[in-house]
Amino acid sequence: MIKVQAEDFIVADEYNKLIKDNQQDGAVVFFVGMVRDFNQNSKITSLTLEHYPAMTEKSLAQLEVQAKQKWQLGRVSIVHRFGRLELGEQIVFVGVTSMHRKSAFEAAEFIMDTLKTTAPFWKKEQTTDSEHWVEAKQSDTEQAQKWQE
């Protein structure tokens, strides 16, 4: 399940969608990313995420397919928000189910690492002094590349 939306999501609802009528999977792993107040030596006041809708959904759907090819997964859920987000607001939910925990943990990490470097989202941080577009971090690229080895 892939959703790209401006509205906030409720973690409990997303979790329940992963487990409803799902007696075959023994592991559920999820990650929630939030807007934090500090990044790259700047005090953040808010974050704006922009995207190209058709390309974004396609990119996230490909991530789901790749994860299911690498691991034996039951369900995969990716919810990503766009628009202006304030400090402490949720940005992204990635959830996976699997028969075994190792696959679930690895798949969730793979999806998040790869999403950060390949999904067509553009971030603009608002700070106490100005606003600026966020450049990709080398550490994120290196983290995503480890899955290609």
Side-chain angles (χ1 to χ4, degrees), residues 52-65:
Y52 180 64
M55 191 184 332
T56 305
E57 282 93 3
K58 183 177 180 181
S59 174
L60 297 177
Q62 288 173 339
L63 262 179
E64 178 182 6
V65 168

Side-chain angles (χ1 to χ4, degrees), residues 22 24-29 96-105:
N22 184 358
Q24 65 274 10
D25 291 326
V28 179
V29 171
V96 299
T97 68
S98 179
M99 293 177 70
H100 305 288
R101 70 180 181 271
K102 183 173 173 134
S103 294
F105 275 112

Side-chain angles (χ1 to χ4, degrees), residues 128-144:
T128 52
D129 301 323
S130 63
E131 62 182 27
H132 61 273
W133 291 103
V134 177
E135 299 284 331
K137 292 192 280 187
Q138 181 62 28
S139 59
D140 289 338
T141 302
E142 290 168 3
Q143 191 68 21

Side-chain angles (χ1 to χ4, degrees), residues 4 46-57 59 80-85 91 115-126 132-136:
V4 180
S46 64
L47 175 69
T48 301
L49 289 156
E50 295 183 6
H51 75 111
Y52 180 64
M55 191 184 332
T56 305
E57 282 93 3
S59 174
H80 206 298
R81 295 182 63 200
F82 64 90
R84 184 180 173 100
L85 303 175
I91 303 168
L115 183 154
K116 284 195 69 140
T117 58
T118 64
F121 287 99
W122 297 274
K123 292 182 191 179
K124 184 188 287 185
E125 291 177 337
Q126 289 77 37
H132 61 273
W133 291 103
V134 177
E135 299 284 331

Side-chain angles (χ1 to χ4, degrees), residues 12-112:
D13 291 349
E14 299 307 321
Y15 170 77
N16 284 324
K17 291 173 192 171
L18 290 169
I19 64 167
K20 184 177 179 172
D21 300 323
N22 184 358
Q23 289 77 42
Q24 65 274 10
D25 291 326
V28 179
V29 171
F30 65 86
F31 169 84
V32 177
M34 301 176 68
V35 180
R36 63 177 181 237
D37 68 351
F38 192 79
N39 189 30
Q40 299 179 359
N41 302 320
S42 296
K43 178 89 170 136
I44 307 302
T45 57
S46 64
L47 175 69
T48 301
L49 289 156
E50 295 183 6
H51 75 111
Y52 180 64
M55 191 184 332
T56 305
E57 282 93 3
K58 183 177 180 181
S59 174
L60 297 177
Q62 288 173 339
L63 262 179
E64 178 182 6
V65 168
Q66 290 173 346
K68 286 184 172 181
Q69 289 171 343
K70 289 178 175 284
W71 295 276
Q72 290 185 331
L73 303 178
R75 298 179 181 170
V76 174
S77 177
I78 304 170
V79 181
H80 206 298
R81 295 182 63 200
F82 64 90
R84 184 180 173 100
L85 303 175
E86 301 300 324
L87 294 179
E89 285 195 69
Q90 301 175 132
I91 303 168
V92 61
F93 175 94
V94 171
V96 299
T97 68
S98 179
M99 293 177 70
H100 305 288
R101 70 180 181 271
K102 183 173 173 134
S103 294
F105 275 112
E106 289 178 354
E109 188 176 10
F110 162 80
I111 291 170
M112 228 14 259

